[in-house]
């Protein structure tokens, strides 16, 4: 479905700055080639409240066309917003953000985290103590899928240490087969 205006009915939510994710698909072949060579590739889901779909999903081909260029995308070119940010290959592990402080009934998906069937695994990503580029000594509490993804990468490194020949497809399958399901409260979009 195509549109020229943001429309929640088509899954176009966007963040508080009215931005939404759109991939740079010209690099998709490189991601897939890296994975074919055994490189494990992780991707933060994004923080624009979007749905990330598989290519077989009914919403996968939803797009918007803009009247002016934005973010390096020329005016009039379709922007497919339910395919995820960046380049997601078939064996990429896509990570969403958990925010346990949102609800009293347990851990929940962070409201801003992109969601949908293409998010493979969820990890804590809210109020993570980290550093920032404005200070070499200060510590900050940062939030987002960019904070949850390194935790999945670290756990994956331990899994790969115990199973050094594991392919990207096998590691992604490991996460799907071993992660607990049905435990997260899905924060609304």
């Amino acid at each position: 479905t195509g549109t020229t205006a943001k429309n929640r009915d088509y899954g176009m939510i966007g963040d508080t700055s009215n931005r939404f994710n759109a991939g740079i698909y010209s690099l998709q072949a490189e991601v897939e080639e890296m994975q074919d060579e055994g490189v494990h590739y992780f991707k933060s889901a994004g923080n624009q409240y979007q749905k990330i779909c598989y290519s077989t999903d009914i919403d996968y081909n939803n797009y918007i066309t803009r009247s002016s260029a934005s973010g390096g995308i020329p005016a009039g070119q379709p922007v497919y917003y339910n395919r995820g940010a960046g380049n997601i290959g078939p064996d990429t592990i896509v990570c969403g953000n958990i925010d346990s402080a949102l609800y009293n009934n347990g851990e929940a998906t962070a409201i801003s985290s992109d969601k949908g069937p293409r998010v493979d695994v969820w990890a804590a990503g809210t109020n993570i103590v980290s550093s920032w580029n404005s200070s070499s000594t200060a510590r900050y509490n940062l939030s987002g899928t960019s904070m949850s993804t390194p935790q999945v990468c670290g756990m994956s490194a331990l899994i790969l240490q115990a199973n050094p020949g594991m392919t990207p497809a096998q590691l992604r399958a490991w996460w799907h087969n071993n992660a607990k399901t049905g435990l997260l409260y899905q924060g609304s979009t």
Side-chain angles (χ1 to χ4, degrees):
T1 303
T3 183
T4 57
K6 183 176 160 183
N7 188 329
R8 291 181 71 90
D9 293 338
Y10 296 122
M12 181 172 255
I13 310 301
D15 65 11
T16 56
S17 299
N18 207 27
R19 296 174 299 191
F20 57 92
N21 284 328
I24 305 169
Y25 304 107
S26 60
L27 301 175
Q28 193 70 32
E30 286 81 356
V31 171
E32 292 179 23
E33 286 175 15
M34 287 190 320
Q35 290 178 335
D36 289 345
E37 294 298 321
V39 175
H40 295 271
Y41 193 72
F42 300 84
K43 177 70 183 86
S44 57
N47 305 301
Q48 277 72 42
Y49 310 79
Q50 292 300 127
K51 175 184 180 184
I52 303 178
C53 304
Y54 285 102
S55 60
T56 55
D57 191 290
I58 191 169
D59 292 325
Y60 184 77
N61 287 319
N62 289 359
Y63 67 90
I64 188 170
T65 54
R66 297 181 179 182
S67 58
S68 59
S70 178
I73 300 171
Q77 180 176 330
V79 177
Y80 296 91
Y81 53 86
N82 284 339
R83 295 181 179 182
N87 304 296
I88 300 174
D91 300 323
T92 300
I93 297 172
V94 180
C95 308
N97 176 13
I98 292 174
D99 184 349
S100 61
L102 283 177
Y103 304 95
N104 293 328
N105 60 347
E107 295 179 333
T109 61
I111 293 170
S112 64
S113 181
D114 288 1
K115 299 167 180 66
R118 188 56 185 91
V119 178
D120 295 301
V121 64
W122 295 85
T126 299
N127 292 321
I128 304 298
V129 176
S130 188
S131 59
W132 192 251
N133 64 0
S134 61
S135 171
S136 61
T137 58
R139 295 184 333 188
Y140 297 87
N141 286 342
L142 301 176
S143 298
T145 57
S146 292
M147 295 290 103
S148 60
T149 304
Q151 297 192 62
V152 175
C153 291
M155 178 66 182
S156 294
L158 296 173
I159 295 165
L160 292 169
Q161 183 179 18
N163 303 281
M166 194 177 265
T167 67
Q170 290 169 328
L171 180 60
R172 184 166 178 257
W174 184 95
W175 278 106
H176 281 223
N177 294 333
N178 290 285
K180 301 290 184 193
T181 61
L183 298 178
L184 290 176
Y185 174 80
Q186 296 288 318
S188 63
T189 54

